[in-house]
Amino acid sequence: MHDLKHTTSRRHFLRSAGLGTTAALAGAAGLAPLTTAARPMQNADKKKLGFAIVGLGKFSQEEMMPAFKDCKHAEITALVSGSPDKAQRLAKEYGVDSKNIYNYQNFDSIKDNPAVDIVYVVLPPSMHAEYTIRAAQAGKHVLCEKPMAPTVEECQRMIDVCKKANRKLMIAYRAQFEPFNLDAIERIRKGELGKIQAITSDHGRIVDPKGDKADEWRVVRKLAGGGSLMDVGIYSLNATRYLTGEEPVEVTAQEYSDKSDPRFKEVENNIHFTLRFPSGILATCTSSYDIEQVKRFRVFGNKAWLDLDPATDYYEHEMTIGKKDGQMKPSIKEGNQFAAELDHMAESVMQNKTPKTPGEEGLQDVKIILAIYEAAKKGKPVKVN
Amino acid sequence: MHDLKHTTSRRHFLRSAGLGTTAALAGAAGLAPLTTAARPMQNADKKKLGFAIVGLGKFSQEEMMPAFKDCKHAEITALVSGSPDKAQRLAKEYGVDSKNIYNYQNFDSIKDNPAVDIVYVVLPPSMHAEYTIRAAQAGKHVLCEKPMAPTVEECQRMIDVCKKANRKLMIAYRAQFEPFNLDAIERIRKGELGKIQAITSDHGRIVDPKGDKADEWRVVRKLAGGGSLMDVGIYSLNATRYLTGEEPVEVTAQEYSDKSDPRFKEVENNIHFTLRFPSGILATCTSSYDIEQVKRFRVFGNKAWLDLDPATDYYEHEMTIGKKDGQMKPSIKEGNQFAAELDHMAESVMQNKTPKTPGEEGLQDVKIILAIYEAAKKGKPVKVN
């Protein structure tokens, strides 16, 4: 189910996106010029590739690391953390050799560790570029969390460095490996909904930096890069792209954040945006950091609508299809989207294939996110290239 | 449940809205100058007031007229139609004296019929002003379908003429008399959802002028005044106003209609719009004439969200409330919104009270609808007064 058909515009985008020169970006983020020569893909004969997990926060511990038990081709072989005690505890839990524990200072020595094939960067967005680039320069392939980075320049640099180092770069868009979402895409492509007219998608949650340690960095602009749009609105945005199979040409947006609320002094709370796609489809999305959790979309066709609510949860999904003669809830088997994603990354390396969600996919979302911010600020539509 | 509390801004709006001079509008729609002197309210001692139904189309026959059987204060006493056979058949069915059948030529003679207290205008929007004004000038109170009229000028003229004739004017916003919607408003006002951050509402259906006679006029601009927004998007719009209890200050909008589709040569198909309310709430709505039927809204608060889907159906509604600890579906009794609306109109006349949804309510939606069209056309936000 990973070989979804894309429309011409999307295929064109994936082929042509951002593989330009690195010269213009040399020196960005204070990094040394590229010296790593192209390497052959490694470990093609291993059954499982070794992952180093960089950042052992709540998401890593509670959601992603437990998924490795369901992987066929991926295993945790190293941990990178600023907290030695936490790293030791998790190393023991996951059977990781304690010599494979790194901190942020000695991270680059991971280049000498053959147990590590892939580095998974699970840090706040502002640190994605640095650790992706350091990993690639250490000869490792990279899986990086979304949003890819707060700026287009950093995203481009990440792509360029990995390309030059001949390392795979994949952005962790888990929903694109989730069975209900894949089923929805398939139904749309097969025409079950008829001609798509509109999409709506809403993502939100209560950000609570006092109550939840994982939210501390989310309200700090220099760490998060932005607010609810970067963190949860990106699910709405990415969904409109994989559901339509098109790239938006124009965005409009409105924002509202109560600046007297200390959580929203630096990052936005509510942002609503509409994407116009080449075929005419309008997709309208909402994103919030101050609503009870919602993760849903609905696709409106002229034969039927398809609803996923929740659409992008970790473990629970529900699909409803509304047709002229009534509603139905298709029976779809829940699957471990994290394991599918991790295995896909490993297989991309083993088979020397471009991952389904490469750096260019992450870059495209960041470009659109920045256009949404611009549209909200200027109060007018912004073209997206 | 009809005495809902409004915020200051909404109360202020209802008090101050559009009761200006009629001089500027004299002669509009080719009507004679106002000559009807103020009359006292009539029939205060009747148990039921008599309604003349103007326009006996699908909606009248299938939805609204059958509701009179559940009314305490309203009964059908006259019919107005261009089709004598249909009128005779329905007169027999509803026990209407055949001398109380009118056509569009002799309609004005209804002034001499004491069996008629109220005229209910159920014609295409372009005819609302003419028949409202003729009814008021014939000494009758008026209930008029939404949208009130295609232009602000016509709406204002309807208000002015009814005021000068001392006749009540109410716009038929049935959802404001529907138990699930009233329950939702009450929960919001009581704070059950916490601070409201956002609203989304989607309304759409397949317009089919070849298959459904009731859709023939809907694709003709000079009859309908507009497309999906005027016909179904108005439910989304009106909902955002009664749910927030506020009046929007700014709108943005995007439209897409395939002009090669003969249905959309004159009127719009898809239009998405966002309203910004004074408290900061953003409400994002979609409207379509080419999607399988949808009539829903969700209100997102910082303690809970509240979903009505369907929200504005004739007979079926479902409420879901999502909180931190899970979802619940409150048990609310379905009620006949049409009967409640018709009785409210009759009681407004009997008790000489301003109806809950007076002409000013209809005018306000028309003002916002025209601002939405302008925003979509210009591609920039438009202020709403």
Side-chain angles (χ1 to χ4, degrees), chain A residues 252 254 272 284 298 309 379 381, chain B residues 252 254 270 272 284 298 309 379 381:
Chain A
T252 47
Q254 294 76 38
H272 293 205
T284 293
R298 191 177 285 193
D309 185 8
Chain B
T252 47
Q254 293 77 36
N270 299 295
H272 293 203
T284 293
R298 192 178 285 193
D309 185 7

Side-chain angles (χ1 to χ4, degrees), chain B residues 94-144:
Chain B
Y94 283 92
V96 172
D97 194 327
S98 61
K99 75 175 164 44
N100 293 348
I101 295 175
Y102 295 85
N103 57 42
Y104 296 116
Q105 287 69 49
N106 68 11
F107 171 69
D108 303 284
S109 66
I110 208 166
K111 73 178 191 296
D112 302 318
N113 192 335
V116 176
D117 303 291
I118 294 161
V119 167
Y120 187 175
V121 180
V122 199
L123 297 165
S126 63
M127 301 166 79
H128 287 179
E130 180 186 344
Y131 282 86
T132 294
I133 291 168
R134 285 170 70 179
Q137 289 180 338
K140 307 304 179 186
H141 304 278
V142 183
L143 176 60
C144 178

Side-chain angles (χ1 to χ4, degrees), chain A residues 197-198 200 202 206 252 254-256 269-270 272 274 276 279-280 282 284 286 290-294 296 298 300-305 307 309 322-324 379 381, chain B residues 197-198 200 202 206 252 254-256 269-270 272 274 276 279-280 282 284 286 290-294 296 298 300-305 307 309 322-324 379 381:
Chain A
Q197 302 287 319
T200 61
D202 308 301
I206 309 270
T252 47
Q254 294 76 38
E255 187 236 326
Y256 179 70
N269 175 10
N270 298 296
H272 293 205
T274 296
R276 186 187 291 276
S279 66
L282 295 173
T284 293
T286 74
D290 203 20
I291 63 175
E292 248 326 309
Q293 186 166 285
V294 61
R296 67 167 187 169
R298 191 177 285 193
F300 300 90
N302 65 2
K303 286 186 188 167
W305 51 256
D307 192 272
D309 185 8
K323 295 189 179 174
K324 200 182 176 71
Chain B
Q197 303 287 319
T200 62
D202 307 302
I206 309 269
T252 47
Q254 293 77 36
E255 188 237 326
Y256 179 71
N269 176 10
N270 299 295
H272 293 203
T274 296
R276 186 187 290 277
S279 65
L282 295 174
T284 293
T286 75
D290 204 20
I291 63 175
E292 248 325 308
Q293 186 166 284
V294 62
R296 68 167 185 168
R298 192 178 285 193
F300 300 90
N302 65 1
K303 287 187 188 165
W305 51 255
D307 192 271
D309 185 7
K323 296 188 180 176
K324 201 181 175 72

Side-chain angles (χ1 to χ4, degrees), chain A residues 111-143:
Chain A
K111 72 177 190 298
D112 302 318
N113 192 335
V116 175
D117 303 291
I118 294 161
V119 167
Y120 187 176
V121 180
V122 200
L123 297 165
S126 63
M127 301 167 79
H128 287 180
E130 180 186 344
Y131 282 85
T132 293
I133 290 168
R134 284 169 71 177
Q137 290 179 338
K140 307 304 178 187
H141 304 277
V142 183
L143 176 60

